[in-house]
Amino acid sequence: MTRFMSRITIGAAALLATTAAVVVAGASAQAEVTSVSVAAGPEGLAVGCRYTVTAVVTDAVIPPGTVFFMVAGGVIPGNGERLPSAAVHHPENNTVTVTWTPTRVGAQNLVAIQSEPGRYTSSQYIAVDVRHTGIDTGSSRQVIG
């Protein structure tokens, strides 16, 4: 009887572990980016100046690297370049931020993408227009053109 109970205990533990894994996987599958914004001053966006781009996500717990940012030209998001700055997750308010320095004038899309290994989860973008050039002094921005 003891051997039989050991098998039941081991089987129950395996079932519990599998169920927990499915619940965790199911929860992360629901994670998504809900909005993207950029903190620009009253002067607007300028080439050469740093800005904080923020993505709001639905989960407070996300694995590092699963949310990243891209910038794409034109009016349709896609085929852009990944922003080189490391994304920083802020679980206290379900946001992820990155620093972006525009490199060209014109219409662009800032895209936040959340993915899991082997599959896309969600994305959102915001269309922006970089109209100026500027100098980033570290503590402020000076628009020069």
Side-chain angles (χ1 to χ4, degrees):
M1 181 87 114
T2 306
R3 186 177 222 183
F4 178 71
M5 291 303 283
S6 296
R7 286 184 182 167
I8 289 175
T9 303
I10 290 170
L15 178 62
L16 182 61
T18 302
T19 302
V22 168
V23 167
V24 169
S28 65
Q30 302 301 320
E32 63 182 68
V33 175
T34 59
S35 67
V36 180
S37 62
V38 62
E43 72 280 353
L45 298 170
V47 170
C49 294
R50 290 178 292 171
Y51 301 94
T52 299
V53 181
T54 303
V56 177
V57 295
T58 57
D59 284 2
V61 178
I62 58 172
T66 59
V67 175
F68 59 94
F69 295 83
M70 296 182 70
V71 62
V75 294
I76 301 172
N79 296 331
E81 63 186 53
R82 194 168 179 161
L83 297 184
S85 301
V88 178
H89 179 230
H90 308 277
E92 66 279 4
N93 60 3
N94 289 11
T95 61
V96 179
T97 59
V98 69
T99 301
W100 172 55
T101 304
T103 58
R104 66 180 179 81
V105 172
Q108 300 169 58
N109 296 302
L110 292 172
V111 185
I113 300 169
Q114 185 164 7
S115 64
E116 296 174 355
R119 75 182 197 91
Y120 160 86
T121 303
S122 70
S123 68
Q124 292 288 325
Y125 76 97
I126 183 172
V128 297
D129 193 8
V130 180
R131 295 183 177 210
H132 309 285
T133 56
I135 299 173
D136 191 328
T137 64
S139 61
S140 66
R141 299 176 202 105
Q142 182 178 0
V143 174
I144 57 174

